[in-house]
Amino acid sequence: SPNILTPFFQELLDTILSMVLAIVEYTPAAVGALILKAFADNSLDDLAASMRALGVIAVGWVFAFAFHV
């Protein structure tokens, strides 16, 4: 009968959900660590060029969002 497998799959889904939520919880710290590593490993000129490129992307995103129909 299908009712025998339902609790098993419910527990499996709960476990997977817990794992995904844990990953989502630690993602901001991981991204921050990657950004800090980029600052530590690169020269200021390289970082300035990267920040300019990031600024262009951010401004483009804002304009696209503002004029989105």
Side-chain angles (χ1 to χ4, degrees), residues 28-42 47 51 54:
V31 170
L34 290 172
I35 291 171
L36 288 175
K37 182 170 176 14
F39 277 112
D41 289 345
N42 294 312
L47 289 174
M51 291 298 119
L54 184 59

Side-chain angles (χ1 to χ4, degrees), residues 6-52:
T6 302
F8 170 75
F9 283 111
Q10 186 61 47
E11 285 297 320
L12 181 65
L13 289 174
D14 289 343
T15 303
I16 292 171
L17 178 63
S18 296
M19 292 167 52
V20 169
L21 290 176
I23 290 170
V24 168
E25 183 178 343
Y26 291 112
T27 298
V31 170
L34 290 172
I35 291 171
L36 288 175
K37 182 170 176 14
F39 277 112
D41 289 345
N42 294 312
S43 69
L44 288 178
D45 293 333
D46 291 340
L47 289 174
S50 298
M51 291 298 119
R52 277 192 298 275

